[in-house]
Amino acid sequence: MRSPASVSRSRTSRKRFAVTAVACALVAGVTAGCGSSGGSSSSSSSGTIHILVYGDTGNTVEKQIVDTFNKTSKVKAVLDTIPGANYQTKLQTIINTAQAPDVFFNWGGGSIAPFVKSGLLMPLDSFIAADPQLKSDFLPSVFNTAVIDGKSYGVPMRGTQPVLLFDNKKVLADAGITPPATWDQLLADVQTLKAKGKTPIALGGGDQWPTLMWFEYLYDRVAGPGLFEKALGGDTSAWASADSQKALGMLKQLVDAGAFGTNYDSVKFTDGGSPALLAKGKAAFELMGSWEYATQKSANPDFTKNDLGYSNFPTIAGGAGNAADVVGNTNNFYSVLKNTKHPDAVAQFLKLMYSDEFVKAQLGIGNLPTTTNTPQFLSTAADPAYDTYQYNLVKQAPSFQLSWDQAYPPSATTAMHQAVQQFVDGKLDAAGFIKAMQGLPTS
Amino acid sequence: MTSIIQQLLAKSARREPPTTGSRGDPGGRSPGYRSTAGSAAGADRRRAVRSGVGATRPGLAWAVPATVFFTLFAIVPLVLVAVLSFTSWNGIGTPKLIGLSNWSALWHDPVMLKSLWLSALLTTLGVVVQTPISILLGVWAAGHQRNRAVLAAVYFVPLLLSVTAVSVLWRALLDPNFGIPSDAGWLFGDGNLLGTQSGSIGVLAFVGAWQWTPLHTLIYQGGARAVPQVLYDAAAIDGAGTVRQFFHITLPQLRNTVITSMVLMVVGGLTTFDTVLILTQGGPGTDTTISAYYMYQQGFLSFDFGGASAIALVLVVVATLLSLLMVRLTGYDRMQSTAEGL
């Protein structure tokens, strides 16, 4: 800014005042920032541990467990919640600051891998050595999700969510078919259902992750869980293998057969679009996480009671994968920050995650815990038959593959979802999809 | 957005004599500065006015609050973003300086180039669709009949809803199986509106128009009401009908209003985010990934804050260049009155 020639003395001094004011404001802002962070760190040294969880209706149980813990512990636990979809972003922002929690909710796998790599998390092996139940009381296929480089970093703290093939029993009966046991039956069913004027399979392609579930199961059935583990481990040649090509070819065949109709990319699960297709009998199947049941129960209680069927994903003849393998979200986990000031209290807190009280409370709100003592309480669950089916499925599964978008670090999610959508849309061919997957960051 | 406003403010401040000048104008009706074809007498009066006002011009201290806020919330973050764009940072730990890697990656990134084109396309579509509709509606609503007031108030409602609510609403209305497309197959085919690029761009442009046309209608209504009635009376005496009056009086008189409205549309177009986030999430694939959404994706979904900062800076530069261009091309910076010669 050029000042006019007639600038008076008083104006210059005013300008100086302005500059001082700006400087003061900046300093004030900085000190305020320092002040708040100082306050938080001093509070954690005065005998509290902060437990950070994803904020939703499940928090009632977390609150209850924290209260139970505080009854006997000298170090008090404080439950903090971050609501909804911003959880991972906010966690990433605070985890390396003075505001970081002592214990936090996560999805295992890729959701904590960057933190492990940055040396922020405490391996729980010493806790487990002191209390072996901290590992042995959980189903191994679930517990392993939070094992990174041979060390345990998480303890399961909510319910398991395997992906199942849901169906509308009435539509299947009208078409004279039963849930498919094999891939070939599924292909035949698609033709039968199309002839009846139904969309064979409801797919919320607009959300992208429902489409990914088809990839996860096909790769598992064709190649077994090893292919994905290899690729995630950094050996990207796995994506170009013959099994990978075969799985992609089979998916393409299913899409080209019209199994998902033509407008699946305009349909979402999250706004109720694809569940409504199934409930209203416009579609026969939907591949979805176990939460489909709760979703249908709240939106269409009669349908859920009478006509909602579920089965495991069909087997594929000649495939290397075990027919009992499942994919999905194994569970949510509590992980521990390395620089927590009260590791002993944290260890005591984690022990509550296999307590009877915890299991009963989780079953009460519709979650299915993955502890070894869960079966004895299954009869108290809201839907005993459904929970028992799931529990046995997960317990007997030789492999429980964590959803690909949770197994990879968050930095890979967007590119993975786009590749999945573009392949199913025919905008990427198999080679293009393989290239996209090979380009994903694995750490 | 801030940069454009700054630009406009700076321009107008530089060119425009102190507005307090009208206070010294004995006539009061037509302040001297509004007439560019001033006579010698007018110029004298203006000079007198200006020298009288110079002493009471507000000092710099008055600008302190605005300066502090602007520095803290615009300049400082902008500088930090510029620094971040030369680093690799995932939000954990300290940013690592990596030189120009983010920039060269961006340069070779097909999605970035595509996103700029998509931003430009959506902005253009917004202007092309909304301008004619809102001019016509605004001029119509400028009448004084009671039914117009009621209809205009009803028509104003979309503007009162949040962009998020509007997007969620249209997302549900356009559901291919249970929404409007399922009942109008002759128009929408299989209803796969959001599964194709043209369909989803069309939806974004439509929802944007539905939401923002009322605002521009309001602007044009105000502009049309400010057109002096005497012009219409004169034209009527000369035998001009409604259509000729519209094209030869209303439209020319609305020139500055058109520019104001367009600047708002372009700014709105370039900063569009919520509709994309809710309606398409940049999809199908990357077919509606506009620059602002791409920045969000890189920063807050992929935690690549360095790369996201580079995209943000590109957006700032593009928006500044565009606003400069618009200000130059339209003559907005001269702030001429359309009431000239009256």
Side-chain angles (χ1 to χ4, degrees):
Chain A
M1 187 193 296
R2 207 176 341 125
S3 25
S6 64
V7 164
S8 67
R9 245 195 128 64
S10 73
R11 191 171 292 176
T12 335
S13 69
R14 266 195 230 133
K15 194 193 264 173
R16 204 172 290 140
F17 164 74
V19 171
T20 321
V22 172
C24 286
L26 277 171
V27 170
V30 170
T31 28
C34 298
S36 68
S37 63
S40 159
S41 63
S42 70
S43 75
S44 66
S45 66
S46 66
T48 57
I49 50 173
H50 282 263
I51 318 284
L52 182 69
V53 296
Y54 185 91
D56 62 13
T57 52
N59 294 148
T60 49
V61 176
E62 276 108 42
K63 186 92 195 65
Q64 180 188 339
I65 297 296
V66 162
D67 289 343
T68 305
F69 174 77
N70 285 342
K71 267 181 213 151
T72 55
S73 172
K74 275 187 191 157
V75 177
K76 301 298 177 194
V78 178
L79 187 74
D80 300 321
T81 59
I82 296 178
N86 291 327
Y87 182 83
Q88 188 75 22
T89 308
K90 299 234 174 87
L91 178 65
Q92 188 111 358
T93 318
I94 60 167
I95 193 148
N96 202 18
T97 67
Q99 280 87 7
D102 298 276
V103 178
F104 66 94
F105 165 105
N106 60 74
W107 290 266
S111 70
I112 51 171
F115 305 147
V116 171
K117 202 179 154 223
S118 305
L120 292 170
L121 300 192
M122 176 191 287
L124 303 180
D125 299 307
S126 60
F127 289 1
I128 294 167
D131 172 24
Q133 276 183 293
L134 212 44
K135 180 174 183 178
S136 62
D137 269 27
F138 296 97
L139 299 181
S141 63
V142 174
F143 191 86
N144 287 339
T145 304
V147 174
I148 294 174
D149 295 336
K151 289 181 179 155
S152 311
Y153 286 97
V155 171
M157 49 71 69
R158 274 192 181 180
T160 185
Q161 297 171 325
V163 172
L164 307 170
L165 186 63
F166 290 88
D167 59 73
N168 184 324
K169 287 184 202 165
K170 191 163 174 299
V171 173
L172 292 198
D174 288 349
I177 55 179
T178 53
T182 67
W183 183 257
D184 293 335
Q185 278 178 24
L186 177 67
L187 288 176
D189 290 350
V190 164
Q191 296 307 330
T192 313
L193 288 161
K194 267 176 70 185
K196 291 256 174 197
K198 303 284 182 193
T199 304
I201 303 166
L203 176 64
D207 284 320
Q208 297 172 328
W209 51 261
T211 316
L212 181 63
M213 292 172 169
W214 285 93
F215 287 78
E216 291 163 0
Y217 260 126
L218 268 163
Y219 270 80
D220 179 89
R221 290 292 187 267
V222 169
L227 189 153
F228 181 76
E229 276 165 25
K230 206 169 134 192
L232 185 62
D235 182 0
T236 55
S237 68
W239 290 116
S241 65
D243 277 347
S244 171
Q245 310 258 12
K246 185 182 169 198
L248 289 175
M250 293 175 77
L251 182 58
K252 190 82 193 138
Q253 189 190 0
L254 187 68
V255 174
D256 290 346
F260 304 109
T262 56
N263 56 19
Y264 45 85
D265 267 338
S266 302
V267 181
K268 280 189 176 188
F269 174 84
T270 44
D271 64 7
S274 63
L277 278 176
L278 187 68
K280 306 237 183 299
K282 288 194 175 193
F285 297 106
E286 178 169 28
L287 189 65
M288 188 44 66
S290 61
W291 56 85
E292 169 93 356
Y293 193 91
T295 306
Q296 294 287 12
K297 198 175 170 185
S298 69
N300 308 290
D302 289 343
F303 162 71
T304 311
K305 205 168 120 208
N306 302 322
D307 292 323
L308 180 62
Y310 43 85
S311 59
N312 198 3
F313 196 81
T315 62
I316 289 176
N322 192 308
D325 284 354
V326 285
V327 307
N329 296 337
T330 58
N331 205 327
N332 299 117
F333 297 85
Y334 272 142
S335 293
V336 184
L337 268 284
K338 192 175 259 172
N339 51 14
T340 174
K341 294 200 175 66
H342 305 284
D344 297 338
V346 169
Q348 291 304 315
F349 176 74
L350 293 181
K351 283 184 187 184
L352 292 173
M353 298 310 129
Y354 57 79
S355 66
D356 290 355
E357 181 196 359
F358 169 84
V359 173
K360 277 191 263 189
Q362 290 290 359
L363 285 171
I365 60 164
N367 285 342
L368 178 61
T370 51
T371 59
T372 49
N373 58 342
T374 300
Q376 62 196 85
F377 302 107
L378 278 177
S379 58
T380 68
D383 304 290
Y386 181 60
D387 279 353
T388 308
Y389 172 81
Q390 282 185 81
Y391 185 85
N392 289 332
L393 188 73
V394 170
K395 193 180 169 199
Q396 286 152 14
S399 154
F400 191 160
Q401 174 58 55
L402 178 63
S403 304
W404 289 3
D405 48 0
Q406 303 285 7
Y408 268 80
S411 54
T413 309
T414 306
M416 180 192 291
H417 283 172
Q418 283 168 355
V420 159
Q421 187 176 35
Q422 288 174 323
F423 177 76
V424 171
D425 282 353
K427 283 182 204 142
L428 273 186
D429 57 5
F433 177 79
I434 288 165
K435 190 160 166 273
M437 295 305 277
Q438 287 175 333
L440 295 178
T442 53
S443 64
Chain B
M1 176 161 180
T2 338
S3 67
I4 295 177
I5 291 170
Q6 275 300 306
Q7 190 64 40
L8 294 176
L9 288 179
K11 285 278 181 191
S12 57
R14 213 178 303 147
R15 305 288 174 122
E16 194 182 11
T19 45
T20 40
S22 59
R23 236 187 273 151
D25 185 351
R29 192 186 62 86
S30 149
Y33 70 87
R34 288 178 68 186
S35 160
T36 47
S39 62
D44 280 348
R45 194 169 65 193
R46 220 164 31 226
R47 217 171 292 131
V49 163
R50 189 178 284 175
S51 64
V53 160
T56 61
R57 198 176 165 195
L60 267 180
W62 293 100
V64 166
T67 314
V68 168
F69 273 90
F70 189 70
T71 310
L72 274 182
F73 295 108
I75 305 283
V76 171
L78 192 64
V79 170
L80 287 180
V81 162
V83 172
L84 264 187
S85 73
F86 296 102
T87 65
S88 158
W89 191 43
N90 64 355
I92 321 169
T94 40
K96 264 199 302 283
L97 272 177
I98 53 165
L100 289 170
S101 302
N102 287 331
W103 289 97
S104 62
L106 205 59
W107 183 253
H108 295 109
D109 184 356
V111 181
M112 181 66 213
L113 192 67
K114 189 169 151 189
S115 78
L116 283 176
W117 280 119
L118 284 169
S119 293
L121 176 67
L122 267 180
T123 308
T124 314
L125 272 178
V127 172
V128 169
V129 172
Q130 293 174 37
T131 303
I133 302 178
S134 43
I135 287 184
L136 287 175
L137 280 172
V139 170
W140 172 81
H144 291 282
Q145 298 89 327
R146 177 159 298 202
N147 68 333
R148 295 192 186 189
V150 172
L151 284 174
V154 171
Y155 191 66
F156 193 66
V157 165
L159 196 58
L160 303 177
L161 305 174
S162 84
V163 186
T164 311
V166 168
S167 306
V168 170
L169 174 82
W170 279 105
R171 172 85 228 185
L173 283 177
L174 293 175
D175 185 282
N177 301 301
F178 304 101
I180 301 167
S182 66
D183 293 325
W186 54 271
L187 180 61
F188 295 104
D190 63 357
N192 195 20
L193 285 174
L194 295 169
T196 62
Q197 181 170 30
S198 50
S200 39
I201 287 175
V203 168
L204 287 174
F206 170 78
V207 173
W210 190 81
Q211 165 111 56
W212 295 116
T213 305
L215 171 71
H216 297 284
T217 301
L218 196 72
I219 294 173
Y220 284 116
Q221 185 190 22
R225 284 209 173 142
V227 177
Q229 186 58 35
V230 61
L231 293 178
Y232 292 107
D233 296 343
I237 291 168
D238 289 345
T242 318
V243 176
R244 284 196 70 169
Q245 283 182 15
F246 175 78
F247 281 106
H248 288 99
I249 295 172
T250 314
L251 268 191
Q253 288 286 315
L254 283 179
R255 187 163 154 271
N256 281 351
T257 316
V258 171
I259 293 166
T260 307
S261 153
M262 272 195 183
V263 168
L264 287 175
M265 280 179 192
V266 170
V267 170
L270 289 178
T271 53
T272 300
F273 176 74
D274 343 36
T275 40
V276 172
L277 177 72
I278 291 163
L279 282 166
T280 70
Q281 282 152 336
T286 55
D287 284 352
T288 56
T289 305
I290 58 169
S291 302
Y293 186 75
Y294 191 45
M295 172 181 75
Y296 164 80
Q297 246 181 8
Q298 292 296 307
F300 294 99
L301 296 180
S302 302
F303 299 111
D304 173 12
F305 289 106
S309 300
I311 303 174
L313 274 189
V314 170
L315 262 182
V316 168
V317 171
V318 169
T320 310
L321 286 180
L322 259 182
S323 67
L324 270 177
L325 192 74
M326 275 200 306
V327 166
R328 276 288 142 89
L329 284 185
T330 55
Y332 189 68
D333 52 342
R334 287 190 290 280
M335 280 284 166
Q336 284 168 336
S337 165
T338 43
E340 160 181 352
L342 279 182

